[in-house]
Amino acid sequence: MTPQTISTIITVLIIGVVMALRLRGLNQTRTLNLATMWIFPVVLLLATAALLVQFPPHGAEWLWLGLAFAVGAGLGWWRGRLIPISVHPENDTLETRTSPVALLFLVAIMAVRFLGREYLESQASTLHLSVALITDGFVVLAMGLFVISRVEMTLRATALLNAAKARRVTAA
């Protein structure tokens, strides 16, 4: 087996384990803490920035990365909308649960990523793209997806919480 095949198998196994654990808690609600929603996006932004500083794109490569971010952001907004958020009626805490559609959406994106990466890397010279740009593009797409899904969830959760508080004030 080639190192790339081994890497792909390990990645698929890790994703499978994570998805199995997430599916196990499918109907369980979890508290959504607005105060910590910014941590994961900041870590992703810093990691992406570190990658781009280490291997900086040149010229038109920035346009490709901008397109990758735009696609990731669009997918992230859609993914964020798929995750159910509610306000607990008694104590006004935010709750969320795992959405099976959002999980399937992520699995589909991962599958497209693996298939697309294999194709793009095999056709990189024909398409006049570097393998580094392809890797950077997938990283930027993933960063856009996860950061913007958190932004969408934060905006929606804040609106739901404000509406619940307004109803409480009006009822009092």
Side-chain angles (χ1 to χ4, degrees):
M1 279 199 252
T2 66
Q4 188 172 6
T5 305
I6 294 170
S7 173
T8 301
I9 290 171
I10 291 171
T11 303
V12 168
L13 287 173
I14 291 171
I15 291 171
V17 168
V18 169
M19 291 298 165
L21 292 172
R22 296 291 293 224
L23 284 171
R24 194 177 69 179
L26 197 60
N27 290 323
Q28 297 174 349
T29 59
R30 295 184 319 262
T31 301
L32 181 67
N33 187 350
L34 278 178
T36 60
M37 288 287 285
W38 62 272
I39 296 171
F40 184 62
V42 167
V43 169
L44 281 177
L45 287 168
L46 291 174
T48 302
L51 175 73
L52 294 177
V53 165
Q54 187 177 6
F55 304 106
H58 303 287
E61 291 178 346
W62 284 105
L63 294 173
W64 285 109
L65 295 181
L67 178 64
F69 177 79
V71 169
L75 292 172
W77 192 266
W78 190 28
R79 178 182 176 266
R81 297 288 303 166
L82 293 173
I83 298 172
I85 300 172
S86 60
V87 178
H88 192 280
E90 295 175 11
N91 57 13
D92 282 348
T93 58
L94 291 164
E95 295 178 336
T96 186
R97 59 184 171 81
T98 301
S99 164
V101 176
L103 274 178
L104 290 175
F105 183 71
L106 274 181
V107 170
I109 289 172
M110 293 291 184
V112 168
R113 179 212 176 261
F114 280 120
L115 296 173
R117 180 177 162 194
E118 295 291 326
Y119 172 76
L120 287 174
E121 286 180 357
S122 69
Q123 299 297 319
S125 61
T126 306
L127 298 171
H128 305 291
L129 299 172
S130 68
V131 175
L133 176 63
I134 294 167
T135 301
D136 290 350
F138 281 119
V139 168
V140 169
L141 185 137
M143 185 263 307
L145 182 133
F146 290 111
V147 168
I148 299 302
S149 67
R150 286 289 180 109
V151 167
E152 192 285 330
M153 290 173 62
T154 300
L155 293 173
R156 191 161 37 100
T158 302
L160 286 170
L161 195 55
N162 289 340
K165 287 178 181 179
R167 278 193 303 275
R168 238 179 239 267
V169 169
T170 306

